[in-house]
Amino acid sequence: MKPTERRPAPPSGMPRAKSVSHTERLPRIEAARRDLQDRPAPSSDAVRHDEPADTHEPLTSAQKRSLTFLQINTPLSLLVFLATALFGAVVVPSIGFVFTSHATYFTPNPRMLLAYFVITLVFQTGFCILSVITRNCHTQRCIVQSTGARLALANYLLALWLVLRILDTSSSRKAGAWVLGIVAVLAFVNDTVLRSKFAPRWVHPFETILVHVPNKLVTLIVIQTLLWNQVMLAKGWFRRNDNDLLPTEPLWPSAVIQILVGVALAMWVGMTTDVSVYAASMYLDMSILAFKKMPVLGPNSRPFLLSWIMLASMTIRTIAFVIPSMLKNGCLVICHMHDHPRLSFNNDGHHFSDIEASQHASTAEDNERTPLRASQDPAYGTVQS
């Protein structure tokens, strides 16, 4: 027979635990059981803390009125902007002629800019449809509290900017710069509220695609190209004819603007691994470099310093996006930290025994956040005896 193990005696000075017999334990169990039976069942309407964020409270009456106004105002703003763009395409001088006739260091390729606006209109159309058909309280609250009427106001102001751009006078250029500055503030406020209160999650895919993305597209097109292009026009820093040379004044301000915008985009992309911001910003940079009247190489090309800054910014932004994305998705490991069984210590600085160390040593599956598995290397992460 196997001898029974004796429990170690408690240290001196510590009181011994009082043993409780089975007959004394039964009344306590029965009392606890009756107490559980007498507790009321939780209401189905109560919001549990472990449930997802979809269980938001319904909108208030004021928020419902705001949502109704938004459902009418936002599509109307899109129609106004679209009608203004169509008018600018057929009027003489057209918006395309005005864009190409006054070249600055921030003038994008007109066709690529048109494609960008078409994509933005498609996403905003999806936003309008989502605001009408959704019955999810979380989505409704996201639309009302994050964008509200600011997105529609930005569309109205962009339509006004198109009219001022077509007029192409000294006063209209300065007014257009102020209008784009207001649009940039509105779009930045929308993005800040969305990021802080309604962070993009794939639990809510329609919010991520149809609410976050349209606001980011408006923010990027204004802050990255349109605003600075309009400021250059207001200052008179543009090339009127193909053979004219640009004045020297805008070189260093343009370099500083490109560096600050590039650093801000790299930091944002690196911290958030935002695919939409990365793709849209790279597209806009390529549209600036693809402007034929301000080529990278050849006669009347843009200064080499600005081209180098933009290419370096695109490279750093790509690195800032790729490496965190690989780390986040488990495709890259920077450092492996394993517990070594022979060098294990306790809090007092004493060595564990080999048996205790093997119990405390963790496996590779517990320590690694990578897709590397034992099927690739059976000996990986194992403790060698």
Side-chain angles (χ1 to χ4, degrees):
M1 280 180 71
K2 199 174 183 181
T4 58
E5 297 181 356
R6 300 181 61 185
R7 295 184 179 180
S12 59
M14 182 179 295
R16 293 178 177 270
K18 185 179 179 181
S19 60
V20 181
S21 62
H22 181 67
T23 55
E24 294 177 356
R25 196 179 295 116
L26 285 177
R28 300 180 187 178
I29 297 175
E30 293 295 333
R33 185 180 302 171
R34 286 194 301 269
D35 182 63
L36 290 174
Q37 292 176 354
D38 293 340
R39 290 183 182 178
S43 176
S44 59
D45 299 331
V47 179
R48 296 176 55 187
H49 294 287
D50 56 348
E51 289 182 353
D54 296 338
T55 57
H56 273 56
E57 297 179 358
L59 300 181
T60 62
S61 57
Q63 291 174 340
K64 289 181 179 179
R65 290 193 297 269
S66 299
L67 180 62
T68 304
F69 176 74
L70 184 146
Q71 292 170 348
I72 301 173
N73 191 29
T74 307
L76 182 62
S77 67
L78 281 180
L79 292 177
V80 170
F81 177 78
L82 185 59
T84 307
L86 293 176
F87 172 77
V90 299
V91 74
V92 178
S94 64
I95 187 66
F97 174 80
V98 174
F99 260 95
T100 56
S101 60
H102 301 316
T104 69
Y105 292 140
F106 293 92
T107 303
N109 185 290
R111 293 184 179 179
M112 297 181 71
L113 182 65
L114 176 62
Y116 188 95
F117 272 117
V118 169
I119 295 173
T120 304
L121 289 176
V122 169
F123 276 100
Q124 288 204 30
T125 303
F127 170 82
C128 297
I129 296 174
L130 179 66
S131 65
V132 173
I133 67 174
T134 183
R135 294 296 179 264
N136 191 313
C137 295
H138 184 275
T139 304
Q140 292 178 345
R141 192 176 299 275
C142 174
I143 293 173
V144 172
Q145 293 184 350
S146 61
T147 59
R150 289 187 293 269
L151 182 60
L153 180 58
N155 292 333
Y156 287 127
L157 292 176
L158 285 174
L160 176 61
W161 166 76
L162 283 176
V163 175
L164 295 173
R165 191 71 179 87
I166 294 171
L167 294 176
D168 198 27
T169 62
S170 177
S171 300
S172 65
R173 293 168 192 162
K174 295 178 182 179
W178 284 104
V179 169
L180 288 179
I182 298 174
V183 174
V185 172
L186 293 174
F188 182 76
V189 170
N190 281 348
D191 290 335
T192 304
V193 175
L194 279 170
R195 188 70 193 181
S196 58
K197 291 186 176 181
F198 303 94
R201 296 185 303 165
W202 288 112
V203 179
H204 308 288
F206 293 108
E207 293 178 19
T208 302
I209 298 174
L210 300 179
V211 180
H212 287 262
V213 173
N215 286 278
K216 293 173 184 176
L217 292 178
V218 174
T219 305
L220 288 172
I221 186 62
V222 175
I223 293 180
Q224 198 169 347
T225 59
L226 295 184
L227 177 60
W228 309 117
N229 181 57
Q230 193 70 31
V231 170
M232 296 289 175
L233 293 173
K235 286 287 187 179
W237 296 339
F238 57 88
R239 177 187 293 167
R240 290 176 175 86
N241 298 316
D242 295 346
N243 297 325
D244 293 343
L245 297 177
L246 275 169
T248 57
E249 292 88 350
L251 176 60
W252 292 108
S254 301
V256 172
I257 291 171
Q258 288 186 1
I259 291 173
L260 293 178
V261 172
V263 170
L265 288 173
M267 291 178 60
W268 178 270
V269 170
M271 291 186 297
T272 62
T273 61
D274 196 325
V275 180
S276 60
V277 172
Y278 171 75
S281 61
M282 295 290 287
Y283 180 85
L284 290 173
D285 282 344
M286 289 187 290
S287 70
I288 295 175
L289 295 175
F291 185 51
K292 294 182 179 180
K293 292 193 176 183
M294 193 78 65
V296 178
L297 300 174
N300 295 330
S301 62
R302 65 177 62 247
F304 175 76
L305 175 64
L306 298 182
S307 300
W308 183 86
I309 291 175
M310 187 165 290
L311 292 174
S313 173
M314 296 171 67
T315 304
I316 295 173
R317 194 181 316 149
T318 302
I319 296 173
F321 173 75
V322 171
I323 293 181
S325 299
M326 294 177 68
L327 289 172
K328 184 177 180 180
N329 296 319
C331 299
L332 183 66
V333 178
I334 292 181
C335 181
H336 298 280
M337 296 297 295
H338 294 287
D339 295 331
H340 198 282
R342 303 293 180 182
L343 300 177
S344 299
F345 298 89
N346 56 16
N347 295 331
D348 298 332
H350 296 91
H351 286 278
F352 283 120
S353 63
D354 291 342
I355 299 177
E356 292 173 337
S358 62
Q359 293 174 354
H360 286 277
S362 57
T363 61
E365 284 291 331
D366 298 330
N367 287 332
E368 296 301 329
R369 300 179 63 186
T370 67
L372 186 61
R373 295 294 181 263
S375 59
Q376 300 177 0
D377 186 6
Y380 181 77
T382 58
V383 179
Q384 300 294 334
S385 57

XYZ file of all heavy atoms in Angstrom, residues 25 31 54 60 99 116 149 151 167 176 178 183 187 199 206 219 222-223 249 253 257 280 304 316 338 353 366 371 374:
227
model
N -21.433 21.440 7.727
C -21.327 22.095 6.433
C -22.646 22.061 5.665
O -22.903 22.927 4.827
C -20.238 21.400 5.602
C -19.775 22.225 4.413
C -18.692 21.519 3.633
N -17.465 21.349 4.411
C -16.949 20.189 4.771
N -17.571 19.074 4.424
N -15.831 20.120 5.469
N -28.352 26.981 2.870
C -28.644 28.417 2.956
C -28.146 29.156 1.721
O -28.828 30.043 1.195
C -27.995 28.995 4.226
N -22.723 47.135 -29.639
C -23.917 47.337 -30.440
C -25.135 47.642 -29.577
O -26.119 48.170 -30.061
C -24.207 46.087 -31.279
C -23.103 45.831 -32.290
O -22.397 46.795 -32.600
O -22.975 44.691 -32.733
N -31.989 59.803 -28.715
C -32.953 60.708 -28.115
C -33.756 61.398 -29.212
O -33.466 61.276 -30.404
C -32.229 61.744 -27.246
O -31.348 62.519 -28.083
C -31.402 61.060 -26.164
N -6.926 74.506 -63.889
C -5.968 73.724 -63.108
C -4.633 73.601 -63.837
O -3.573 73.700 -63.229
C -6.540 72.328 -62.828
C -7.117 72.177 -61.455
C -8.472 72.359 -61.241
C -6.314 71.878 -60.381
C -9.013 72.233 -59.979
C -6.832 71.747 -59.107
C -8.198 71.931 -58.906
N -10.011 60.570 -58.107
C -10.085 60.615 -56.638
C -11.438 61.171 -56.183
O -12.053 60.642 -55.249
C -8.945 61.475 -56.113
C -8.794 61.461 -54.608
C -7.913 60.586 -53.988
C -9.537 62.326 -53.806
C -7.769 60.569 -52.608
C -9.404 62.314 -52.431
C -8.513 61.440 -51.832
O -8.384 61.422 -50.471
N -23.632 67.388 -39.291
C -23.799 68.252 -40.460
C -22.472 68.744 -41.011
O -22.466 69.462 -42.021
C -24.678 69.448 -40.089
N -19.973 67.076 -42.475
C -19.626 66.511 -43.778
C -20.402 67.198 -44.898
O -19.848 67.523 -45.956
C -19.892 65.006 -43.786
C -19.527 64.256 -45.070
C -18.048 64.397 -45.373
C -19.914 62.788 -44.961
N -13.530 81.265 -61.316
C -13.424 82.715 -61.507
C -11.971 83.135 -61.696
O -11.672 84.002 -62.523
C -14.049 83.443 -60.312
C -15.558 83.263 -60.143
C -16.033 83.954 -58.875
C -16.312 83.783 -61.363
N -10.715 81.440 -51.890
C -10.672 79.981 -51.996
C -9.744 79.353 -50.977
O -10.018 78.259 -50.461
N -9.165 80.518 -47.937
C -9.887 80.528 -46.661
C -10.971 79.449 -46.630
O -11.181 78.802 -45.598
C -10.509 81.903 -46.428
C -9.523 82.943 -45.992
C -8.987 83.948 -46.744
C -8.943 83.067 -44.695
N -8.107 84.697 -46.008
C -8.061 84.176 -44.736
C -9.072 82.365 -43.509
C -7.322 84.580 -43.628
C -8.341 82.764 -42.399
C -7.481 83.851 -42.474
N -12.720 73.943 -44.626
C -12.996 72.525 -44.943
C -12.002 71.612 -44.227
O -12.382 70.553 -43.699
C -12.953 72.304 -46.459
C -13.090 70.823 -46.797
C -14.047 73.089 -47.154
N -13.104 68.701 -41.596
C -12.741 67.293 -41.835
C -11.866 66.751 -40.718
O -12.016 65.591 -40.306
C -12.034 67.172 -43.186
N -13.820 54.326 -32.750
C -12.637 53.811 -33.448
C -13.039 52.740 -34.448
O -13.960 51.955 -34.189
C -11.634 53.243 -32.442
N -19.561 48.285 -41.889
C -20.167 49.365 -42.661
C -19.764 50.734 -42.112
O -19.607 51.695 -42.881
C -21.694 49.214 -42.665
C -22.170 48.010 -43.421
C -22.679 46.910 -42.758
C -22.098 47.974 -44.804
C -23.114 45.799 -43.450
C -22.532 46.870 -45.517
C -23.031 45.770 -44.841
N -10.420 64.720 -45.889
C -9.318 65.335 -45.127
C -8.017 65.295 -45.909
O -7.289 66.293 -45.984
C -9.138 64.602 -43.788
O -10.383 64.603 -43.083
C -8.088 65.281 -42.931
N -7.742 67.658 -49.081
C -7.630 69.078 -48.747
C -6.279 69.382 -48.118
O -5.571 70.314 -48.537
C -8.784 69.500 -47.811
C -8.610 70.943 -47.367
C -10.124 69.338 -48.518
N -5.887 68.598 -47.111
C -4.670 68.912 -46.365
C -3.416 68.583 -47.160
O -2.388 69.258 -47.022
C -4.682 68.151 -45.018
C -5.798 68.694 -44.129
C -3.342 68.269 -44.304
C -5.899 68.013 -42.790
N 10.707 82.060 -54.264
C 10.143 82.175 -52.914
C 9.460 80.903 -52.414
O 9.581 80.560 -51.234
C 9.152 83.352 -52.840
C 9.786 84.714 -52.970
C 9.900 85.151 -54.422
O 9.646 84.295 -55.312
O 10.236 86.321 -54.676
N 9.319 77.227 -48.366
C 8.014 76.930 -47.753
C 7.411 75.609 -48.227
O 6.826 74.864 -47.428
C 7.154 78.126 -48.170
C 8.114 79.231 -48.385
C 9.345 78.577 -48.942
N 6.500 72.390 -45.853
C 5.145 71.822 -45.858
C 5.186 70.335 -46.186
O 4.517 69.516 -45.531
C 4.262 72.586 -46.867
C 3.999 74.001 -46.370
C 2.947 71.847 -47.089
C 3.321 74.890 -47.396
N -4.620 56.291 -49.964
C -5.032 57.589 -50.505
C -3.877 58.582 -50.527
O -3.707 59.334 -51.498
C -6.191 58.145 -49.673
N 14.790 69.439 -57.610
C 15.182 68.103 -57.175
C 14.951 67.921 -55.674
O 14.624 66.819 -55.225
C 16.665 67.871 -57.513
C 17.202 66.571 -56.991
C 16.889 65.372 -57.615
C 18.011 66.541 -55.857
C 17.368 64.171 -57.127
C 18.495 65.343 -55.368
C 18.177 64.151 -56.009
N 9.364 56.276 -46.442
C 9.231 56.165 -44.983
C 7.808 55.780 -44.606
O 7.585 54.977 -43.681
C 9.650 57.490 -44.325
C 11.140 57.744 -44.565
C 9.354 57.472 -42.836
C 11.612 59.108 -44.096
N 12.527 33.636 -23.996
C 12.153 32.337 -23.422
C 12.802 32.204 -22.047
O 13.876 32.741 -21.795
C 12.615 31.180 -24.309
C 11.923 31.149 -25.637
N 10.618 30.767 -25.800
C 12.373 31.489 -26.880
C 10.289 30.845 -27.074
N 11.332 31.285 -27.742
N 15.133 24.287 -8.693
C 15.630 22.983 -9.112
C 15.236 22.746 -10.566
O 14.437 23.473 -11.145
C 15.030 21.886 -8.229
O 13.624 21.852 -8.397
N 3.005 29.845 -25.847
C 2.570 30.847 -24.883
C 3.309 32.159 -25.068
O 2.792 33.220 -24.726
C 2.784 30.353 -23.445
C 1.949 29.111 -23.168
O 0.868 28.996 -23.777
O 2.389 28.280 -22.363
N 2.906 33.263 -36.332
C 2.306 32.034 -36.864
C 3.265 30.873 -36.960
O 2.939 29.859 -37.561
C 1.825 32.466 -38.253
C 2.746 33.557 -38.631
C 3.068 34.281 -37.351
N 4.893 24.407 -34.379
C 5.763 23.246 -34.254
C 5.783 22.407 -35.521
O 6.696 21.606 -35.726
C 5.296 22.386 -33.080
